[in-house]
Each structure stands twice: as structure tokens, then as C-alpha cells.
Amino acid sequence: MADVLRVCALYPDLMNIYADRGNLQLLRRRAEWRGLGFQLSGVGFDDELDPGQHDLFYMGGGQDRDQVLCAEDLATNKRAALQQAADEGKVIFGVCGGYQLLGHAYELDGTKLPGVGLVDLETVREDGPRLIGNVAIEVDLDGSKNVLAGFENHGGRTRLGAQTRPLGRVLKGHGNDGRSGHEGARGGAHGTVVGTYLHGPLLPKNAWFADWLTATALHRAVSDLEPLDDRFEDAAHAAARRAAGI
Ligand code: GLN
């Protein structure tokens, strides 16, 4: 069993709005508090992505112009490595702009940005207001239900393919498209490719979910992770739920 969590941040300078970097800090701190090692690598344009070197791949949110800059490189130079990682049950976690690029395409202003195609979904920038606000969703991860609470701000509307599972059911907020009641997506051969519109940063508000990502990336059960004193994390979760009206 690996005792080092090796995280790869994809385009960390570009795909990082709303303090998405805080998600990485939380993963680091919780790993270190448990006596696990933590390695963080950033992979950008022209960098080779070796799927064997990482357990968890992370891509944060980005403005449309940031996505335009990295979509082509992601879809051409990183696709095979990410597909291999997903096939091996590694965690690939995308937030907002990063989530959109896990699908087939993001269509905006009459052009289609290619996605990396790990999950059967597509995003379209329709006319209409941005979907903004506090949000809470109910997530069922392998039989245990919990609430994920955060903040969303996206112009794109994401439609899931017929066989694609959403990450959760919208309790408050807009979710994927403001209509379907679905939020996020979960796919890949082992269900380890996960996307969500929730920012926040998300993980400091939902430490339970960070633990699921960590455990899954290390091929362990959450119950195998050493328990931590989560008084502050529980308070942050409760505050995020309250903000969303749950
Ligand atoms: N640019 C994308 C959109 O507006 C993603 C935004 C984000 O990452 N917050 O839909």
C-alpha cells in the first residue's frame, strides 16, 4: 500500500480561479497530519505527463480564455496518459473549467474547444445568465450519502451522456445546467474520474470528500485512513451548508 499521496496539478498557473489551489493545500495538510507523504507536481504546456508517477490528477477552474489556452494541449498531448490513469483507477478530479474539459468539448462563441474525453459529457455556453451562487448537492459515494457544499459560477451548461452518472443531486443551486437537477459527473472504468462545478475552495469545506479522494487515489477504504480532529472542518462544512440554505 502506497504511503505517499502523489498529486499532479494540471496547468496550475492557468486553471486556478476562486482559490482552487486551497484544495491542494488541504490534501497536503491532511496527508501530513496522518503521517502520509505528499508530493505535488505541476504539469503545464509541453510537459510530459507520466501516468505512473501520480495517484491523483487535479485540474481547477478557469476562465474561458484560460481554457482556450490549455484545451488543445490537454486534448492532444495529455489525453493518452490521462486515459491510462483512469483505466488504472487513478483519481482524476476536475473543478468547473477543469470539469468541463474532462468531457468531449466545450462550445463557446461558435467554436468547440476539445476536451480530453474521459467522461461522456459536453458543455455549451448558451445565451442566458451565468449560473452563480452557493450550492449544495447530495452525493452517494459507494453507498454512503453526504452533502457537498460550495459555490458555483459558470456560463457553460453541461449535459451528461445517457450512461453518465452525475456526481450528485442538486439540493440548492443550479448544478450542471440549471434544469436537470444533476451536478457534476462521475465516470471512467473505475468511477474515479470526478468533475464538479463546486468551487470554494471545495475541499476545505468538505473534508469528508477530500478523504474519499485520498483514499480512492491510494486504493484504500476511507475507514483505513487515520481519523483526524475535524472540529474546524466540520464547522466549515456546516457554514457552507448554511450559506446554501441547507
Ligand atoms: N469558463 C467556464 C464557464 O464560465 C468555467 C468557469 C469556472 O471555472 N468558474 O463556464
Side-chain angles (χ1 to χ4, degrees):
M1 251 184 336
D3 55 4
V4 178
L5 179 64
R6 301 168 304 165
V7 175
C8 173
L10 293 159
Y11 314 100
D13 300 328
L14 218 50
M15 299 299 282
N16 173 39
I17 51 174
Y18 291 116
D20 287 324
R21 205 171 284 153
N23 291 330
L24 297 172
Q25 284 170 3
L26 182 118
L27 290 170
R28 174 191 291 277
R29 294 305 291 270
R30 290 179 79 76
E32 289 173 351
W33 287 335
R34 292 187 161 110
L36 297 168
F38 184 90
Q39 281 172 17
L40 177 62
S41 331
V43 163
F45 302 107
D46 304 325
D47 292 337
E48 206 169 306
L49 186 57
D50 179 350
Q53 294 300 309
H54 315 283
D55 308 300
L56 191 157
F57 300 80
Y58 172 77
M59 186 160 45
Q63 301 195 24
D64 288 353
R65 65 168 179 271
D66 302 325
Q67 293 171 279
V68 169
L69 289 173
C70 70
E72 196 70 43
D73 181 70
L74 180 75
T76 51
N77 300 327
K78 315 288 196 271
R79 185 194 293 264
L82 288 171
Q83 184 67 60
Q84 187 181 329
D87 289 347
E88 290 171 359
K90 300 195 170 197
V91 171
I92 300 171
F93 177 46
V95 172
C96 203
Y99 163 40
Q100 293 170 339
L101 295 181
L102 295 180
H104 300 301
Y106 176 29
E107 189 181 324
L108 70 162
D109 302 330
T111 52
K112 263 195 180 190
L113 293 184
V116 75
L118 297 179
V119 188
D120 182 19
L121 59 86
E122 222 169 271
T123 302
V124 178
R125 186 82 135 93
E126 293 170 1
D127 291 339
R130 295 185 68 79
L131 305 180
I132 303 176
N134 293 305
V135 52
I137 66 172
E138 184 183 64
V139 176
D140 185 347
L141 289 175
D142 314 322
S144 73
K145 282 197 178 138
N146 210 331
V147 172
L148 204 57
F151 181 79
E152 62 183 327
N153 181 355
H154 49 109
R157 270 75 167 161
T158 297
R159 295 193 204 107
L160 306 183
Q163 304 303 320
T164 305
R165 274 188 288 172
L167 175 63
R169 181 173 70 84
V170 175
L171 300 173
K172 281 286 162 78
H174 303 287
N176 281 340
D177 58 4
R179 293 185 287 264
S180 62
H182 291 161
E183 204 294 314
R186 203 173 153 199
H190 303 275
T192 55
V193 182
V194 177
T196 178
Y197 273 113
L198 273 63
H199 283 285
L202 173 68
L203 299 185
K205 294 177 177 176
N206 299 275
W208 69 270
F209 184 64
D211 285 355
W212 181 83
L213 293 173
T214 296
T216 305
L218 296 177
H219 304 294
R220 299 182 192 195
V222 173
S223 55
D224 292 339
L225 298 179
E226 196 180 309
L228 297 173
D229 175 356
D230 274 340
R231 272 172 294 179
F232 289 127
E233 290 78 2
D234 290 346
H237 190 221
R241 288 176 62 141
R242 269 198 308 277
I246 295 292

